[in-house]
Amino acid sequence: MDMTVNSTTLVTEPVSEGNATLSLTDKKLVCVEYPGFVISVDNMLDSVGGEQALTKTYADSSKRLELRFRPKDPYCHPVCGNRYSSNNLLLRVCRRKRKGSSGEAHITMEILGLIGTTYKFQGMADFQYLAMHNEPDGSKVSLYDKVILRKPEKKEFFDLSVPLFLPPPLFSRLDGPVDYFYRPDSMHREGNMQSLLLNENLIGPNRARRPHNAIFVNFDEKSIPTEPLEAAKINWKKNSIHHSDIKAEEEMRKLFERRPIWSRNAVKANVDIHPEKLKLLLPYLAYYMLTGPWRSLWVRFGYDPRTNPEAKIYQVLDFRIRCGMKHGYGVNDMPVKAKRSAYHYCLPTTVNKAVPQPASLKEFTQDGTSPSSAKPSSLRYILKESAYVFREGMLPPYRQMLYQLCDLDVEQIKGIIQRNDGKEEVCDERDGWCLPQTADDLRDIISSMITQVVRAKRPASSSPKLKPVRAGRKMEESDEDDEEEYDDEYKPSEGSENEMETEMLDYM
């Protein structure tokens, strides 16, 4: 099976005695090492989903090619092939020799194309479970005509008494053999690990803790910390060995002097620092609020927003984009795609594993260095301003955003926040220093602005459909920027007496 894409390569081999001169064609091919004898090409194509499924799989390098030996059976579990990069040639060799002739055979060769991608089925097939039912007399009856809707049926079809048949979509999460060496769980030096195993019925908590020495504060606590833990000081001093780390510390100190409360995204948008170093620097300069109107935010040591009405503008607003027809647009019309969605769930066996790349030729200079390595590019970790700021006419980068009120740069929103300026009396755990229902009013305003932007962009937001690839056509692979995921979670350190009572959000 081959698929063609555009290419303009042309190479001619040197002519020598006993060798043939062949020129490379401008055709690139995709090879599928089919695990079976191909008698009918049409049946073989049906087993891999046809040209449309092949095109869709080829367009996404992270997908594995699914092969179903029973393509008409929806309960057939596929065999998956891994994708490999290759530098092979497809040759057509013809050997002609006249019957009864004792002379040498005439051999002709032709290069049909270059094979840059190969799919290999190297895994084991999953367990298969047929839709059958055992009768009392021991006979087996097929359930396919009773559980599969092949055409529009009347009400009587759905009222039939059918045995319950709910097989899982996958029996084995791995299609390759794995050597599992049974050995006892490793115990670390922390003394609390043994007590944890004795008090709780947990499975395998044998990974060493990675404390970041952050101090966590709940809204109802009476006091706030004025300095970091000693372990946080030692940890940062030990790891801040580069001049860029010292520069990042100075910049972050200036940030907290100018503004006492920051979200993690806001810090990452203003300070160029490696994410791992940020985990060590934040607990050194601020403490983390778990609950209340400043939850999920970092607060400068010694600053208590519960006693300062001017801290109202630093409160957090948990905003989530509303999707649905009742809001004027459907899920597919929303340009901001969800990072995780059940609609796009893929079975673990259908995701391509990382494979080593083939060797390739590179241009090297006389001193042995490649031109690409002569100019080292500086790594930058700064986020865009849209990661924490909202303005009229813009779309949030994620469907759930944690905005601070001071970062909502909309005059209508500012007017709602300032309705009780100078009249703040009590700091409430839900609304903080704002009037009740202020957060709901702000969400309504932002949602209406996003709806207007989505409706304005709807005519130009039609997504191109994948078309089957024919000979001579060019396949375009869409490169979408993956959204940055924030899965780092801080755990309370042993020196802090605060307890985690709420779920930690991804935006820490």
Side-chain angles (χ1 to χ4, degrees), residues 86-341:
S86 56
N87 295 319
N88 301 328
L89 300 176
L90 180 61
L91 298 178
R92 176 187 289 167
V93 181
C94 297
R95 182 177 181 271
R96 293 186 176 92
K97 184 178 181 181
R98 292 185 177 182
K99 294 182 179 180
S101 175
S102 60
E104 295 183 355
H106 179 68
I107 299 177
T108 60
M109 293 182 298
E110 178 186 2
I111 299 179
L112 300 182
L114 305 176
I115 301 176
T117 302
T118 302
Y119 288 94
K120 300 181 181 181
F121 294 87
Q122 301 170 322
M124 299 182 296
D126 192 19
F127 298 95
Q128 307 292 324
Y129 196 86
L130 302 179
M132 307 291 290
H133 178 65
N134 295 327
E135 295 292 335
D137 57 355
S139 61
K140 299 183 181 297
V141 180
S142 175
L143 298 178
Y144 287 99
D145 295 334
K146 298 181 180 180
V147 298
I148 299 178
L149 188 64
R150 305 183 187 274
K151 61 180 181 179
E153 299 286 352
K154 297 182 179 179
K155 181 177 180 296
E156 290 76 12
F157 176 82
F158 300 97
D159 292 338
L160 293 176
S161 178
V162 181
L164 185 63
F165 183 75
L166 296 174
L170 193 68
F171 286 103
S172 177
R173 293 179 58 86
L174 302 175
D175 58 357
V178 178
D179 293 330
Y180 189 89
F181 301 98
Y182 291 92
R183 52 188 181 272
D185 293 337
S186 58
M187 301 299 298
H188 299 278
R189 295 182 179 180
E190 284 80 354
N192 61 343
M193 186 63 64
Q194 184 65 28
S195 60
L196 183 63
L197 293 175
L198 295 177
N199 297 333
E200 299 289 343
N201 185 17
L202 301 178
I203 299 176
N206 56 353
R207 191 182 73 173
R209 292 186 61 188
R210 294 176 292 183
H212 299 93
N213 306 301
I215 300 179
F216 298 87
V217 177
N218 291 309
F219 179 80
D220 55 357
E221 295 190 16
K222 297 181 179 180
S223 61
I224 52 101
T226 58
E227 60 179 359
L229 298 176
E230 190 64 28
K233 299 179 182 179
I234 298 175
N235 207 12
W236 172 248
K237 296 298 182 183
K238 181 177 63 176
N239 291 275
S240 58
I241 55 178
H242 199 266
H243 69 277
S244 61
D245 301 331
I246 306 300
K247 180 181 178 182
E249 179 184 352
E250 296 176 355
E251 293 178 355
M252 194 171 299
R253 286 187 181 276
K254 294 180 181 179
L255 288 181
F256 279 102
E257 291 176 359
R258 181 175 49 132
R259 173 169 149 183
I261 304 176
W262 289 83
S263 65
R264 188 169 184 263
N265 275 7
V267 172
K268 295 182 69 174
N270 288 274
V271 179
D272 186 13
I273 183 174
H274 192 279
E276 294 299 324
K277 293 293 183 68
L278 182 62
K279 296 178 184 178
L280 306 177
L281 182 55
L282 276 175
Y284 178 63
L285 300 177
Y287 65 92
Y288 188 81
M289 289 290 293
L290 288 175
T291 58
W294 297 276
R295 64 186 180 279
S296 305
L297 302 180
W298 292 90
V299 186
R300 185 182 65 203
F301 284 115
Y303 184 82
D304 191 354
R306 301 169 299 180
T307 60
N308 294 281
E310 62 272 11
K312 176 176 63 174
I313 60 175
Y314 305 126
Q315 292 179 196
V316 68
L317 176 68
D318 187 351
F319 175 76
R320 308 181 187 191
I321 296 181
R322 302 167 181 172
C323 294
M325 296 309 299
K326 65 179 181 179
H327 302 293
Y329 51 86
V331 178
N332 296 329
D333 298 329
M334 169 54 61
V336 183
K337 301 303 180 183
K339 291 191 294 184
R340 307 173 188 87
S341 175

Side-chain angles (χ1 to χ4, degrees), residues 38-56:
V38 178
I39 299 176
S40 172
V41 177
D42 293 336
N43 293 340
M44 183 270 296
L45 280 176
D46 291 339
S47 64
V48 293
E51 283 191 3
Q52 184 176 5
L54 280 173
T55 304
K56 188 175 182 180

Side-chain angles (χ1 to χ4, degrees), residues 324-463:
M325 296 309 299
K326 65 179 181 179
H327 302 293
Y329 51 86
V331 178
N332 296 329
D333 298 329
M334 169 54 61
V336 183
K337 301 303 180 183
K339 291 191 294 184
R340 307 173 188 87
S341 175
Y343 296 103
H344 306 289
Y345 174 75
C346 297
L347 295 174
T349 55
T350 62
V351 180
N352 195 43
K353 274 71 175 176
V355 295
Q357 299 297 324
S360 60
L361 296 178
K362 293 183 179 180
E363 181 183 356
F364 288 90
T365 59
Q366 294 182 356
D367 57 355
T369 60
S370 66
S372 59
S373 61
K375 296 181 180 180
S377 59
S378 59
L379 298 177
R380 298 189 61 83
Y381 307 99
I382 292 184
L383 297 181
K384 296 181 180 180
E385 189 184 41
S386 59
Y388 75 103
V389 175
F390 178 80
R391 293 187 179 92
E392 188 173 1
M394 67 182 298
L395 286 175
Y398 315 116
R399 290 197 176 184
Q400 180 182 5
M401 298 292 298
L402 293 182
Y403 290 114
Q404 290 183 257
L405 301 186
C406 59
D407 296 325
L408 301 175
D409 192 8
V410 180
E411 293 299 327
Q412 185 180 3
I413 292 178
K414 294 180 180 178
I416 295 178
I417 299 173
Q418 299 171 359
R419 285 184 298 185
N420 65 332
D421 279 359
K423 302 177 182 179
E424 301 91 345
E425 296 180 356
V426 180
C427 181
D428 183 68
E429 184 174 0
R430 182 183 185 276
D431 300 303
W433 295 105
C434 295
L435 294 176
Q437 305 302 321
T438 297
D440 296 335
D441 296 339
L442 299 183
R443 294 189 185 101
D444 293 338
I445 295 175
I446 298 177
S447 296
S448 63
M449 292 181 177
I450 292 177
T451 301
Q452 295 176 3
V453 175
V454 172
R455 289 177 178 176
K457 294 184 178 181
R458 182 178 298 175
S461 62
S462 57
S463 57

